Amino acid sequence: KMNEDAQLWFQQVLLRSKEAAEARAYVQSRGISSESVFSFGLGYAPQQWDGLTRYLLAQGYTESELVNGGLAREREESIGKSGGMYDYFRHRLVFPIRDVRGRVIGFGGRALGDGQPKYLNSPQTLLFEKNSVLYALDMAKDAIKLANQVIIVEGYVDAVIAHQYGTRQTVACIGSAITEKHIQQL
């Protein structure tokens, strides 16, 4: 539920925030349609340090849940400064990662500008293990069965664009080589 709430927040920021103009321009430059933005649930994590954290805490989630869910980090305490929390994703186009049933289990974030690393995935959590999840499998599973074929691409945008142009049996590895766990899922 917390990941679903985060996804909706990221998407509203992408669609409505002035700060998301660079993210919207990137989406447009990559040829991603508005329909794909909605169907894949793309969003934007703003540069501010704690926007998502403040929102989720106000929704009743605990700091521990945010950290364990991979959405926030605890700030190191230093002399004269309190710790606090900060968002894991900042100034990134955000791709919700779903399980085969369509539930958001993590996120991938594409840096905008010169941010590093270029792609950042949610840390491993109880729900998310990067080397066993195929991006867009929830949206591709019926087409894979129908075509009796799967196309595996490298990244989020590759999968989104393939679906957008009708090659719906496409999934993506996310930051790892294909693993035995991926093959088992297929």
Side-chain angles (χ1 to χ4, degrees), residues 30-66:
R30 294 300 304 266
I32 299 171
S33 69
S34 296
E35 181 180 288
S36 292
V37 168
F38 284 104
S39 63
F40 282 87
L42 305 187
Y44 174 68
Q47 271 185 302
Q48 68 190 35
W49 282 87
D50 62 353
L52 177 64
T53 296
R54 284 185 290 115
Y55 171 76
L56 291 174
L57 290 173
Q59 299 305 304
Y61 296 103
T62 66
E63 289 184 354
S64 176
E65 288 171 326
L66 270 65

Side-chain angles (χ1 to χ4, degrees), residues 2-34:
M2 183 175 64
N3 284 331
E4 298 285 345
D5 288 346
Q7 184 271 319
L8 291 172
W9 186 83
F10 286 136
Q11 189 163 57
Q12 290 306 307
V13 173
L14 176 65
L15 297 174
R16 296 186 173 158
S17 172
K18 289 180 183 177
E19 186 183 343
E22 184 179 1
R24 289 189 296 270
Y26 176 80
V27 165
Q28 187 174 24
S29 77
R30 294 300 304 266
I32 299 171
S33 69
S34 296

Side-chain angles (χ1 to χ4, degrees), residues 31-106:
I32 299 171
S33 69
S34 296
E35 181 180 288
S36 292
V37 168
F38 284 104
S39 63
F40 282 87
L42 305 187
Y44 174 68
Q47 271 185 302
Q48 68 190 35
W49 282 87
D50 62 353
L52 177 64
T53 296
R54 284 185 290 115
Y55 171 76
L56 291 174
L57 290 173
Q59 299 305 304
Y61 296 103
T62 66
E63 289 184 354
S64 176
E65 288 171 326
L66 270 65
V67 170
N68 291 334
L71 294 170
R73 292 277 191 241
E74 293 183 61
R75 222 178 247 129
E76 296 288 323
E77 292 189 34
S78 59
I79 298 172
K81 292 186 178 179
S82 63
M85 306 283 293
Y86 65 93
D87 294 349
Y88 185 74
F89 295 99
R90 292 180 314 282
H91 195 43
R92 292 176 181 275
L93 181 63
V94 176
F95 297 83
I97 301 168
R98 294 178 170 86
D99 65 12
V100 73
R101 292 190 222 163
R103 299 173 298 189
V104 178
I105 58 171

